[in-house]
């Protein structure tokens, strides 16, 4: 028997196979490590390449966006050639970004799971930005071909050059198609599982693309319908009303006088302005209402002798314009084609272009500096005849507008000032032509209660004067709005409206400082006796589509208020008087159950504040606090971050849109993301 073997057992294979040398056992391990090292190295190089490329693409996109913003500003200012150059600069930057995304390393990363979604999103952002640049170049190049640039579209020698609009309209239609293609390209990009700042950058790009697309679409509609609006085929007639913000109304001010404007093949013809009281008053039952909310909420103010002077109490100009057209037809058996309202601030912009005007029949020279004070206050002391007092606003408007349309073509700086007045809602336009009106709806001149693109959280303070005088010339207004966001997506809001009356009690005619016998219905019952200089404010505070009013106080004391809805927007309404030298503060509180978008890992909150036109600019103080445990990480201009709140203080224009972004600290955010992923069902049965 051999030693080393067990009796009764056969030798095994392992017993007979010689032992491997140590080097041979290590070789497969070395190959594995080498392969893994090569893979990790390749991935590392790809990651480094991706990081570098993303950084370079981001710089290109930022440079392109800056050039595009400059081009838009230049185009609005009327400098089409400079705008075209800026848009081309932006296009080159976007092309640079797109070329970077076509490199091998970037395409290779696109094959990887998850990471590849990031490269796809970046490519889509660069592609869509390039398409948007192409659209703006098409439009700006066409504008640059107009003699005199965009200023060449302004009225000159009494006529609008309609023939110059046709090539621009074709270019706008082409640009509109390009913007639609750009939007589709970006919509198809991944939205989730994106690395780093790519997700927010994609959202920002989509928001900017949407805004630019809406602007170009609006321009396309307006340019398409403008020839019809200015009577290229058949003469068009418009109710042209002069508003006086010294006696506040929902759309800006009482319509003291009106003219019928006839436009025939681009030529303007104003009939003499006459006091609006001269119009016959038809019975309300014979007039179709523009909508249910108008008749339910505002017909009460048009009874008795206040029919025409209260027709624009509702702060939605399209509704008011329809009411004017329907009422004018019922009163005169004549159907007009639209409505235009203008206030003295619009006339100041015109006079800035044309220079001083000698007002026929008044022996007064008006200019850009004195026209607002003259038409809303001083004229009533200078003029003794009641008819002149009633129609002075219209006579000034006619003198300014007629001189503007008959002058030689203005330069681009002059035109920019007039366009700024229009964008400030000092001119409001409505057309019964659906194409034109759809285009107008995308601009500030539409005067809608809820402007296009406004956030659901829309806040607006609207005052109608119920004193029957012109004391709103002396009114000072300040608004403080505080918003506290909660973790459940809701918000608690507090608004303080302070109105101060600085009207004199003597030295001015009763036509200006009162007291008046013609109080509005409701105010006359609540406030039967007024004294000189006293104002009566019918206040509507709009708080959005889903707000729930909670509390109302006047100077700290609880008050009973009325709540209602205008076109889907809820408002709180209250009447109160303010004697000369006094001020009153109306405090309102409401909740909004779904005010911000996001989850426990962060979100965004946006709101829109629309401002009523007043003689003395309103002041707004706005404070927004994020949900507890979260920090504000970014704010839109003109907000600033103070502590852990977003703050604004100043004199807003007609519209202020703001947005904040907030999130918890990184460890909490990561934990919540993991928890949410693990607890979210993958399938819904």
């Amino acid at each position: 028997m051999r030693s080393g073997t067990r009796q009764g057992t056969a030798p095994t294979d392992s017993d007979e196979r010689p032992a491997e040398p140590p080097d041979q056992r290590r070789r497969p391990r070395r190959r594995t490590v080498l392969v893994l090292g090569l893979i990790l190295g390749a991935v590392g190089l790809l990651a480094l390449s991706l990081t570098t490329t993303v950084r370079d693409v981001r710089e290109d996109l930022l440079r392109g966006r800056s050039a595009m913003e400059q081009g838009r500003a230049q185009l609005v200012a009327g400098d089409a050639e400079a705008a075209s150059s800026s848009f081309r600069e932006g296009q080159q930057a976007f092309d640079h970004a797109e070329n970077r995304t076509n490199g091998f390393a970037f395409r290779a990363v696109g094959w990887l799971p998850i990471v590849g979604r990031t490269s796809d999103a970046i490519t889509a952002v660069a592609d869509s930005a390039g398409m948007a640049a192409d659209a703006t170049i098409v439009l700006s190049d066409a504008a640059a071909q107009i003699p005199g640039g965009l200023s060449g579209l302004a009225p000159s020698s009494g006529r609008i050059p309609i023939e110059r609009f046709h090539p621009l309209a074709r270019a706008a239609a082409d640009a509109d198609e390009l913007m639609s293609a750009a939007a589709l390209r970006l919509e198809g990009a991944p939205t989730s599982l994106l690395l780093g700042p790519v997700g927010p950058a994609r959202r920002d790009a989509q928001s900017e693309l949407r805004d630019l697309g809406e602007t170009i679409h609006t321009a396309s509609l307006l340019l398409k319908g403008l020839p019809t609006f200015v009577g290229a085929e058949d003469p068009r007639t418009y109710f042209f009303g002069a508003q006086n913000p010294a006696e506040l109304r929902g759309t800006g001010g009482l319509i003291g006088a009106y003219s019928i404007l006839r436009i025939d093949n681009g030529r303007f013809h104003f009939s003499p302005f006459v006091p609006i009281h001269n119009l016959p008053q038809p019975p309300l039952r014979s007039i179709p209402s523009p909508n249910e909310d108008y008749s339910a909420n505002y017909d009460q103010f048009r009874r008795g002798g206040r029919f025409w002077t209260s027709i624009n109490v509702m702060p939605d100009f399209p509704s008011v314009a329809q009411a004017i057209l329907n009422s004018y037809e019922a009163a005169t058996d004549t159907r007009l084609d639209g409505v235009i309202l203008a206030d003295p601030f619009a006339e100041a912009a015109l006079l800035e272009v044309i220079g001083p005007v000698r007002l026929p029949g008044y022996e007064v020279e008006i200019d850009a500096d004195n026209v607002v004070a003259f038409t809303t206050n001083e004229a009533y002391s200078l003029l003794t005849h009641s008819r002149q007092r009633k129609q002075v606003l219209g006579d000034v408007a006619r003198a300014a507008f007629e001189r503007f349309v008959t002058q030689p073509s203005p330069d681009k700086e002059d035109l920019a000032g007039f366009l700024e007045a229009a964008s400030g809602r000092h001119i409001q336009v409505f057309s019964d032509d659906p194409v034109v009106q759809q285009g107008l709806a995308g601009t500030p001149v539409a005067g809608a209660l809820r402007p296009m693109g406004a956030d659901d959280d829309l806040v607006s303070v609207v005052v109608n004067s119920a004193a029957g005088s012109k004391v709103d010339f002396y009114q000072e207004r300040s608004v403080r709005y505080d918003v506290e966001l909660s973790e459940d997506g809701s918000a608690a809001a507090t608004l303080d409206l302070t109105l101060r009356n600085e009207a004199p009690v003597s030295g001015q005619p009763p036509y200006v400082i009162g007291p008046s016998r013609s109080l509005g219905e409701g105010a006359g019952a609540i406030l039967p006796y007024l004294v000189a200089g006293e104002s009566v404010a019918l206040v509507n505070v709009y708080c959005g589509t889903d707000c729930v009013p909670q509390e109302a106080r006047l100077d700290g004391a609880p008050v009973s208020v009325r709540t209602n809805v205008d076109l889907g927007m809820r408002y709180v309404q209250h009447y109160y008087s303010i004697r000369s030298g006094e001020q009153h503060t109306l405090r309102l509180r409401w909740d909004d159950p779904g005010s911000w978008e996001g989850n426990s890992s962060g979100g965004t909150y946006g709101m829109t504040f629309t401002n009523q036109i007043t003689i003395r600019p309103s002041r707004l103080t706005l404070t927004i606090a994020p949900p507890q445990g979260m920090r504000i990480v970014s704010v839109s201009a003109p907000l600033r971050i103070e502590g852990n709140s977003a703050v604004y203080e100043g004199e807003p224009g007609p519209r202020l849109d703001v947005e904040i972004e907030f999130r918890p600290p990184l460890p909490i955010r990561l934990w919540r993301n993991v928890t949410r992923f693990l607890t979210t069902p993958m399938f819904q049965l």
Side-chain angles (χ1 to χ4, degrees), residues 54-128:
V54 169
R55 182 197 63 201
D56 293 341
V57 168
R58 180 177 180 273
E59 291 178 355
D60 289 334
L61 292 175
L62 289 175
R63 191 170 69 254
R65 184 172 69 177
S66 177
M68 294 286 286
E69 290 174 350
Q70 183 179 8
R72 290 177 68 177
Q74 291 165 334
L75 191 60
V76 170
D79 196 341
E81 292 184 2
S84 183
S85 176
S86 295
F87 289 144
R88 279 184 163 77
E89 182 182 340
Q91 183 190 49
Q92 290 176 357
F94 294 143
D95 287 345
H96 226 182
E98 186 177 355
N99 290 336
R100 294 185 193 278
T101 64
N102 289 328
F104 171 76
F106 202 84
R107 290 201 305 270
V109 170
W111 302 331
L112 300 176
I114 300 180
V115 179
R117 296 174 62 84
T118 297
S119 66
D120 290 344
I122 294 172
T123 301
V125 170
D127 285 351
S128 61

Side-chain angles (χ1 to χ4, degrees), residues 359-671:
L359 194 59
Y362 293 86
E363 302 303 322
V364 174
E365 185 176 82
I366 56 171
D367 57 30
D369 295 327
N370 67 14
V371 63
V372 175
F374 176 78
T375 54
T376 59
N377 182 261
E378 296 170 1
Y380 306 125
S381 295
L382 295 174
L383 304 176
T384 57
H385 196 282
S386 61
R387 179 177 178 84
Q388 283 187 316
R389 284 177 173 174
K390 293 178 183 301
Q391 69 183 57
V392 63
L393 197 68
D395 289 341
V396 172
R398 180 181 182 183
F401 276 90
E402 283 189 334
R403 177 74 69 83
F404 178 74
V405 299
T406 56
Q407 65 159 349
S409 183
D411 59 32
K412 58 178 177 287
E413 288 79 12
D414 292 336
L415 186 61
F418 177 69
L419 293 176
E420 183 179 353
S423 65
R425 289 211 316 270
H426 298 300
I427 299 174
Q428 298 173 74
V429 183
F430 176 86
S431 172
D432 68 350
D433 181 273
V435 174
V436 176
Q437 185 55 32
Q438 187 181 355
L440 290 171
T443 71
V445 300
L449 169 63
R450 182 179 181 181
M452 182 174 290
D455 220 289
D456 284 344
D457 188 1
L458 182 143
V459 176
S460 183
V461 176
V462 179
V463 176
N464 278 275
S465 173
S469 62
K470 304 294 184 288
V471 292
D472 290 337
F473 179 86
Y474 303 98
Q475 187 182 93
E476 296 179 351
R477 178 187 303 188
S478 63
V479 178
R480 180 178 183 87
Y481 185 51
D482 297 319
V483 183
E484 294 184 3
L485 306 180
S486 299
E487 295 178 347
D488 61 358
S490 66
T494 302
L495 185 141
D496 289 336
L497 167 64
T498 301
L499 297 178
R500 180 168 183 81
N501 182 7
E502 294 289 352
V505 296
S506 63
Q508 290 274 17
Y511 191 81
V512 175
I513 60 174
S516 172
R517 299 178 182 273
S518 58
L519 288 176
E521 184 172 316
I526 299 172
L527 307 161
Y529 303 107
L530 298 181
V531 298
E534 187 171 4
S535 70
V536 182
L538 169 62
V539 177
N540 282 15
V541 176
Y542 292 83
C543 57
T545 57
D546 300 316
C547 64
V548 182
Q550 298 293 334
E551 182 185 33
R553 292 178 176 270
L554 186 64
D555 296 330
V559 291
S560 177
V561 296
R562 179 188 179 204
T563 63
N564 218 321
V565 175
D566 272 345
L567 307 179
M569 302 297 298
R570 183 165 297 280
Y571 65 86
V572 178
Q573 185 181 85
H574 191 51
Y575 265 120
Y576 53 98
S577 71
I578 311 167
R579 292 200 170 187
S580 173
E582 296 181 354
Q583 70 177 36
H584 294 302
T585 298
L586 177 65
R587 166 167 287 192
L588 302 173
R589 290 186 58 254
W590 61 78
D591 294 333
D592 190 339
S595 65
W596 59 271
E597 296 180 355
N599 52 42
S600 60
S601 298
T604 58
Y605 167 79
M607 66 153 291
T608 299
F609 177 82
T610 58
N611 196 19
Q612 187 179 20
I613 302 303
T614 53
I615 301 290
R616 304 186 184 194
S618 302
R619 289 199 60 82
L620 171 67
T621 300
L622 172 64
T623 304
I624 306 171
Q628 188 173 6
M630 298 196 189
R631 304 285 298 179
I632 296 177
V633 295
S634 68
V635 297
S636 63
L639 289 175
R640 65 182 188 278
I641 299 177
E642 286 189 3
N644 193 33
S645 295
V647 177
Y648 165 82
E649 186 173 3
E651 297 177 356
R655 173 175 172 175
L656 177 68
D657 292 282
V658 297
E659 184 175 271
I660 70 169
E661 184 179 358
F662 47 87
R663 55 179 179 242
L666 180 61
I668 297 177
R669 191 164 70 252
L670 292 175
W671 172 252

Side-chain angles (χ1 to χ4, degrees), residues 233-249:
E233 299 172 358
D234 299 302
R236 308 286 282 183
T237 53
Y238 301 95
F239 180 98
F240 192 106
Q243 294 196 106
N244 186 354
E247 188 170 353
L248 286 171
R249 291 291 184 268

